[in-house]
Amino acid sequence: MRWAMTRASSPLPRGAVIGMVGGGQLGRMTSMAAARLGYRTHILSDNPDDPAMDVAWRHTRLSSAEDAAAIAAFAAAVDVITFETENLPLPLLALLEAQPHCRPSAAVVRLCGDRAEEKRFLQAIGVPTAPWAPVATAEEIEAFRRQAGGRAIVKTCRSGYDGKGQMRVADATAAARAAEALAGKALIAEAVLDFTCEVSVVLARDVAGRIAAFDVTHNLHREGILRESRVPAPIAPEVAARALAAARRVAEGLDYVGIMALEMFVMPDGAVLANEIAPRPHNSGHWTMDACAASQFEQHVRAICGLPLADPTRHADAVMENLIGPEGAARWEELLAKPRCVPHWYGKAEARPGRKLGHATTLAPFGTGGHGPRGGSML
Ligand SMILES: Nc1ncnc2c1ncn2[C@@H]1O[C@H](COP(=O)(O)OP(=O)(O)OP(=O)(O)O)[C@@H](O)[C@H]1O
Ligand SMILES: [Mg+2]
């Protein structure tokens, strides 16, 4: 550590180096926000050509999750360590847990990377979730499915994203198939919810515990992948308040520092059930880049570097669309020409199907999207 973080709240000086574990699009967009505030970013990943390296300052190559020498060199070269993914191998997280300058802490990232641990934590702090249980065998999956009203989703505890590592189960044959396909992995089963909509709250918490939350976002998924995020969300003010309160409780319960997201399901009776916690910038917060004075990436940099959080108010209504796979890439020219549309490209080497290659946010004047303007809040 080049500048010891002697006082928890003393800001890192301009020129300080943010160490980022992971080099994907979230690391890339955080690096761009960091540069604008005068910080440099140093990426730890297994690939020196990761998307973040178009805009980051330095790279340390991780040859394996147990590459203690690389992790030690990286940790010594940066002033604060942060993350762009929670899908990290346990040995890597264990090595990072020994580093005192992680924001959020590596233990928090580990918890959020394990669906069972995450759900136990949510239960412990009184944030409701879908009914769930740890499962290991076809019999356990089948018993859960019957008890859950006939339909369940089996999910791997670790390493799932964009709907990967999940199987829906609606009869005993499917239960057996899921147990076989996912054998050897720690699993949970969840009841399938007939929700009204999916929402998320993206918020930042600083080292002094202050919280700034962006507006509740409405998220539309297809095939387990986020396709579109919209603000304002089509929910009643009391539902929005419930979502914000749940996200705040999570941030406080984790003593969180940085940006985080809570994904939630809104039920027909207005109840809000937590789905998962993302200990990092989140796809559903990308609209903040164009509809707020300070984006989720800037807010993250501010929080982890000890700067004051920015006002999270939005100045526009927004629809963010993900550009996924070759079909998404094919829309680039059209989006470049679209009025009030801000396209973002991630610079990935290959346009594989199902891969997020970029996104585009279309803006409308604040308050024209219906459902009553709200605008972000300091909690
Ligand atoms: N219990 C459930 N009931 C109904 N739909 C669900 C349930 N769990 C997940 N889904 C659907 O599948 C999507 C992906 O699930 P989840 O968030 O658990 O997976 P993921 O792979 O971590 O996704 P991501 O990392 O992209 O958020 C959800 O956003 C939702 O649309
Ligand atoms: Mg999810």
Side-chain angles (χ1 to χ4, degrees):
M1 214 181 331
R2 300 178 320 147
W3 283 281
M5 289 198 283
T6 44
R7 274 195 314 126
S9 57
S10 58
L12 287 179
R14 288 188 296 277
V17 181
I18 297 171
M20 170 74 64
V21 181
Q25 68 266 24
L26 301 177
R28 175 185 175 105
M29 292 184 275
T30 304
S31 297
M32 290 159 82
R36 197 158 46 73
L37 293 178
Y39 298 112
R40 292 174 287 181
T41 46
H42 184 143
I43 307 292
L44 177 74
S45 78
D46 55 10
N47 181 2
D49 293 324
D50 268 343
M53 288 316 298
D54 288 351
V55 293
W57 182 55
R58 293 254 158 98
H59 185 266
T60 293
R61 188 168 171 271
L62 197 60
S63 62
S64 80
E66 277 135 87
D67 189 348
I71 293 164
F74 165 75
V78 304
D79 299 296
V80 61
I81 297 176
T82 195
F83 301 83
E84 63 124 48
T85 175
E86 66 280 21
N87 287 328
L88 295 167
L90 291 170
L92 171 59
L93 284 167
L95 288 164
L96 288 167
E97 267 177 67
Q99 299 297 336
H101 51 318
C102 292
R103 286 177 174 166
S105 75
V108 162
V109 175
R110 179 165 46 75
L111 183 149
C112 298
D114 185 309
R115 290 186 197 276
E117 273 196 58
E118 183 177 56
K119 288 221 164 39
R120 283 190 197 105
F121 163 74
L122 291 166
Q123 232 156 3
I125 60 166
V127 170
T129 67
W132 72 282
V135 290
T137 62
E139 292 70 35
E140 284 171 7
I141 295 171
E142 177 58 9
F144 181 89
R145 178 190 75 79
R146 284 166 175 269
Q147 185 200 319
R151 291 179 303 156
I153 305 184
V154 182
K155 301 182 177 180
T156 57
C157 285
R158 302 190 51 81
S159 309
Y161 69 99
D162 291 348
K164 294 182 171 68
Q166 297 194 11
M167 288 178 76
R168 287 193 178 229
V169 166
D171 56 36
T173 317
R177 223 181 301 127
E180 196 186 318
L182 303 172
K185 300 190 170 108
L187 304 175
I188 63 162
E190 274 178 43
V192 176
L193 299 173
D194 289 315
F195 51 76
T196 310
C197 67
E198 291 188 73
V199 297
S200 57
V201 168
V202 176
L203 64 73
R205 185 166 181 271
D206 71 11
V207 287
R210 284 178 293 252
I211 290 176
F214 292 109
D215 247 359
V216 180
T217 304
H218 178 204
N219 300 321
L220 297 122
H221 292 79
R222 215 169 47 246
E223 290 143 11
I225 306 184
L226 181 69
R227 305 286 158 161
E228 222 174 89
S229 287
R230 298 172 165 257
V231 276
I235 53 174
E238 60 273 18
V239 175
R242 238 170 257 147
L244 286 161
R248 176 196 189 149
R249 191 175 275 211
V250 168
E252 288 176 346
L254 294 171
D255 194 16
Y256 196 87
V257 178
I259 198 94
M260 58 151 262
L262 182 65
E263 299 177 6
M264 287 162 277
F265 302 116
V266 179
M267 302 305 289
D269 65 356
V272 170
L273 304 180
N275 175 27
E276 53 175 358
I277 310 164
R280 53 170 168 82
H282 191 258
N283 196 168
S284 71
H286 289 358
W287 60 267
T288 62
M289 298 174 90
D290 306 303
C292 296
S295 71
Q296 62 165 344
F297 302 101
E298 173 166 342
Q299 216 53 325
H300 184 55
V301 170
R302 285 174 175 246
I304 64 173
C305 293
L307 302 181
L309 296 179
D311 172 357
T313 306
R314 83 189 147 79
H315 52 69
D317 291 353
V319 176
M320 186 275 331
E321 321 166 61
N322 274 333
L323 304 180
I324 299 172
E327 320 85 79
R331 298 190 47 217
W332 188 247
E333 302 295 326
E334 163 208 332
L335 292 164
L336 282 173
K338 187 177 174 189
R340 299 185 315 277
C341 176
V342 190
H344 299 255
W345 190 252
Y346 302 154
K348 293 188 180 176
E350 281 178 80
R352 284 200 294 274
R355 214 166 183 216
K356 291 172 182 167
L357 301 174
H359 73 267
T361 302
T362 303
L363 301 172
F366 182 79
T368 55
H371 315 298
R374 280 183 293 270
S377 40
M378 302 297 290
L379 296 177

